[in-house]
Amino acid sequence: MGAPTMYDDSNIFARILRGEIPCKKVHEDEHTLAFDDIAPRAPVHTLVIPKGKYVSATDFADKASDAEIGAFMRAVRKVAALKGVDASGYRLIANTGVDGGQEVPHFHVHVLGGRSVGPMTSAK
Ligand code: 5GP
């Protein structure tokens, strides 16, 4: 079984985008929304999501326009600046599909920083 490809409109980030659930907004532009993770794993833990309905990194790369993809990466960089970690450094994580441990089926990148965030992953 791979990553789901059908977008589920009831996923939690779709609900945040519709304003049905509050979020602590960090940045918003035409194509992108960024907000703090509800269960932060580091002093800075912000999620960046496209406003379009993309299930995963794979789906986003396959189907999003160049404008959406460009805006997304610029938003990630803007979040790093707004959170004050662009000089100290940060980690971007895009959990994708089953083996990637993706829980919410709306593409998102985690921006983690504010301290050394440790080894990249376990070897096993
Ligand atoms: P994933 O495992 O899919 O890469 O990460 C999903 C992330 O979404 C988790 O870090 C989790 O804490 C976060 N999350 C889940 N529900 C909510 C919510 O309602 N609000 C916010 N701000 N973050 C959430």
Side-chain angles (χ1 to χ4, degrees):
M1 188 175 83
T5 52
M6 285 286 289
Y7 187 81
D8 173 7
D9 273 308
S10 68
N11 81 76
I12 201 89
F13 295 168
R15 299 186 65 197
I16 287 174
L17 280 167
R18 291 197 296 267
E20 295 167 9
I21 294 176
C23 71
K24 200 170 157 210
K25 191 191 296 183
V26 174
H27 168 77
E28 182 171 14
D29 60 49
E30 181 187 353
H31 295 298
T32 315
L33 178 68
F35 51 91
D36 286 334
D37 197 290
I38 203 168
R41 272 71 147 200
V44 171
H45 188 173
T46 300
L47 301 169
V48 184
I49 71 173
K51 290 184 173 175
K53 299 180 179 185
Y54 303 107
V55 172
S56 67
T58 305
D59 197 32
F60 187 63
D62 283 349
K63 297 179 190 156
S65 66
D66 290 353
E68 290 174 295
I69 292 171
F72 188 85
M73 203 60 217
R74 299 257 189 240
V76 168
R77 194 264 175 272
K78 178 134 200 203
V79 164
L82 289 169
K83 287 291 182 175
V85 296
D86 47 355
S88 52
Y90 53 94
R91 179 169 296 158
L92 305 180
I93 296 175
N95 297 322
T96 306
V98 175
D99 282 355
Q102 183 177 359
E103 290 172 6
V104 178
H106 181 115
F107 173 51
H108 53 281
V109 163
H110 300 250
V111 181
L112 291 153
R115 63 164 170 77
S116 174
V117 292
M120 187 165 65
T121 187
S122 64
K124 292 182 183 174

